[in-house]
Amino acid sequence: MNVRNEMLNLIRTRKSGHALPQPFYTDLDFFNLDMELIWYRDWLFAGHNCELPKTGSYFTLQIGSYPVVVLRDKEGEIRAFHNSCRHRGSRICAQEKGTTPKLVCPYHQWTYNLDGKLAFARQMGADFDPNEHALKPVACETAGGYIFINLAVEPVDFAPFRALMAPYFTPHNLVDAKVAHESTIIEKGNWKLVWENNRECYHCAGSHPELCKTYSESPNVTGVSGGGEDPDMAAHWQRCEAAGLPSRFNMHDSGQFRAIRAPLLRDADSYTMTGRSAVQRNLSDAFRAERIGALMMFHYPSTWNHVLIDHAVTFRVTPIGPNETAVTTKWLVHKDAVEGVDYQRDELTHVWNQTNDQDRRIVEENAFGIRSPAYEPGPYSELQEGGVLQFVNWYTNYIEPRLLDAEPNRLRKIA
């Protein structure tokens, strides 16, 4: 039985309402199928508009086998390219971020304009056509201050996500924010375990004392039931929407992305130990509402987010191997907020730094146990783990038809 058939068989015979069989969390061949059929085909969160403040600003990232560079060109447009020289394939931009007037390959100095066109290649002969050697583009879209990329030959339509997300995020003006702090941790567990842990707060009371000072453990917040039957949630939505802030639970029919605004505990304003704002200047100067809680959005497979009145915390998930996942967290504040005056970095980052490290340990212990020959998938709690079940169902429903498609993923062709 080949690996596609093996995965397909396990999906079709798995016990409903239970975790996935062991190979989905541990097997290299299954991991490679995840990369080919999901990560190389779907829209992935790359970063934020505000990280590219001027012409020539760029950042890089690695998605499986693909190095990618994302930049702002001379017209102010955000573009993405495969970070591989069209000469002999050398990586062009080795730094995580920077600013450059042109992209120059360090190997033989082939030079590309910010639109990807080859501008200079010395001593290549009279028949050499530079127009045939532009950088290969990567599909790139923006919405609400977020940059997404897609490595597929023919990317799925981005418009449904933009239509759902933009009304929720535009009032927070993240396009004009700045990154106050960034951290990346490596969790020694499969990317799906990272997501399963994120999609429930069943574990929160015993694991996250800092977060639980302000964040509700209610499954209405982390789950996918909608939450409208909760009078406190419904009242919060009504009050925020009266102030012009879309808030009600909204999930796309595919189950791939969702947005909701939920109240924080005890009328807290922010994820701090006191519940008071971590930043004295709100993200948007236009805000007139108070106690707006947390705007939460996820987009499988690569990001979940919390946007508060004073700052935003965004998360990017990047698989490294079957038992290793990078989680990058960024804290965004108003572009004119001054560290040491408007906010203290330690106070701003404390709760999620602690929570991230606690989640890292949870995921690693989960992965450790799953590797046991005695492991068998256990049942999810219908009351507390509806969000986990929804994620697992999304994953299996998405990957199953792609397993039946023998057409391999290819790079996007140059226009």
Side-chain angles (χ1 to χ4, degrees):
M1 181 183 295
N2 67 38
V3 65
R4 284 192 176 221
N5 289 337
E6 181 183 357
M7 179 182 279
L8 192 62
N9 180 63
L10 287 177
I11 287 174
R12 290 177 170 176
T13 59
R14 77 184 185 94
K15 190 179 293 187
S16 177
H18 285 59
L20 294 167
Q22 186 183 60
F24 287 92
Y25 302 117
T26 61
D27 187 82
L28 177 60
D29 289 335
F30 275 43
F31 172 80
N32 288 336
L33 281 176
D34 281 356
M35 298 305 294
E36 177 188 344
L37 301 179
I38 292 181
W39 289 86
Y40 297 163
R41 293 196 185 186
D42 285 299
W43 289 100
L44 308 175
F45 169 54
H48 295 282
N49 299 52
C50 65
E51 297 180 74
L52 304 174
K54 58 186 178 180
T55 297
S57 295
Y58 72 88
F59 61 79
T60 60
L61 61 160
Q62 184 80 27
I63 308 297
S65 299
Y66 295 98
V68 176
V69 58
V70 183
L71 57 80
R72 190 179 294 274
D73 69 14
K74 290 184 177 180
E75 283 68 48
E77 296 296 317
I78 294 176
R79 296 173 176 263
F81 299 98
H82 290 281
N83 190 7
S84 178
C85 183
R86 295 298 311 282
H87 177 211
R88 286 167 57 186
S90 175
R91 186 170 59 166
I92 298 170
C93 298
Q95 302 300 316
E96 290 185 4
K97 59 188 68 177
T99 303
T100 182
K102 295 181 183 292
L103 301 176
V104 181
C105 178
Y107 198 178
H108 302 95
Q109 292 73 55
W110 278 34
T111 302
Y112 302 86
N113 294 326
L114 298 177
D115 61 3
K117 293 179 180 178
L118 181 62
F120 172 76
R122 61 190 176 89
Q123 299 178 353
M124 290 303 296
D127 295 334
F128 177 74
D129 184 357
N131 294 322
E132 295 181 357
H133 296 85
L135 292 178
K136 292 188 175 182
V138 173
C140 183
E141 297 281 356
T142 63
Y146 287 64
I147 303 168
F148 282 78
I149 62 171
N150 191 306
L151 295 162
V153 180
E154 298 179 356
V156 296
D157 190 5
F158 188 77
F161 175 65
R162 180 186 285 111
L164 185 148
M165 177 199 181
Y168 287 84
F169 281 76
T170 299
H172 292 274
N173 198 32
L174 295 179
V175 171
D176 290 326
K178 69 177 180 181
V179 176
H181 186 68
E182 175 180 345
S183 73
T184 296
I185 61 172
I186 306 300
E187 301 187 11
K188 294 180 180 179
N190 187 271
W191 69 273
K192 295 185 291 295
L193 292 181
V194 173
W195 268 109
E196 290 188 31
N197 179 63
N198 170 263
R199 296 307 308 126
E200 49 92 355
C201 214
Y202 195 23
H203 70 280
C204 288
S207 302
H208 299 317
E210 296 84 3
L211 183 63
C212 285
K213 288 183 177 295
T214 55
Y215 183 79
S216 173
E217 301 170 66
S218 169
N220 287 332
V221 176
T222 55
V224 292
S225 62
E229 70 281 357
D230 181 339
D232 292 336
M233 185 78 80
H236 183 72
W237 291 347
Q238 184 176 11
R239 186 173 59 80
C240 289
E241 291 187 347
L245 298 174
S247 300
R248 297 178 188 275
F249 176 91
N250 192 351
M251 177 178 282
H252 190 255
D253 291 343
S254 67
Q256 187 172 22
F257 43 90
R258 175 219 71 175
I260 183 176
R261 197 181 301 273
L264 300 181
L265 297 178
R266 295 178 291 278
D267 290 331
D269 286 317
S270 193
Y271 292 139
T272 59
M273 297 300 288
T274 64
R276 295 191 294 269
S277 291
V279 187
Q280 300 310 305
R281 186 162 189 172
N282 290 340
L283 275 169
S284 173
D285 293 329
F287 272 141
R288 296 294 179 264
E290 297 179 346
R291 303 190 317 279
I292 65 172
L295 169 60
M296 289 172 284
M297 179 270 288
F298 67 69
H299 185 293
Y300 303 142
S302 64
T303 186
W304 68 84
N305 302 264
H306 296 253
V307 184
L308 308 159
I309 194 167
D310 65 325
H311 73 279
V313 192
T314 71
F315 303 83
R316 187 180 73 214
V317 177
T318 307
I320 299 173
N323 296 291
E324 200 169 48
T325 306
V327 177
T328 298
T329 307
K330 297 177 183 179
W331 287 260
L332 277 64
V333 301
H334 191 286
K335 65 178 181 179
D336 295 328
V338 178
E339 182 180 355
V341 177
D342 297 305
Y343 66 94
Q344 303 296 328
R345 185 178 303 203
D346 288 347
E347 182 183 24
L348 174 70
T349 62
H350 177 74
V351 168
W352 275 107
N353 272 335
Q354 295 297 311
T355 303
N356 283 344
D357 192 55
Q358 293 151 2
D359 280 333
R360 177 191 59 77
R361 294 197 297 269
I362 289 169
V363 168
E364 291 180 355
E365 290 300 324
N366 194 184
F368 197 93
I370 285 175
R371 289 193 289 271
S372 167
Y375 166 79
E376 62 180 88
Y380 295 121
S381 165
E382 293 184 4
L383 297 177
Q384 290 287 342
E385 295 175 300
V388 186
L389 182 58
Q390 187 273 332
F391 165 72
V392 171
N393 286 341
W394 169 82
Y395 167 78
T396 56
N397 290 339
Y398 246 55
I399 205 167
E400 181 175 355
R402 297 178 181 188
L403 287 166
L404 297 170
D405 179 9
E407 181 77 12
N409 185 49
R410 299 187 304 273
L411 288 176
R412 294 180 70 243
K413 296 177 181 178
I414 299 174

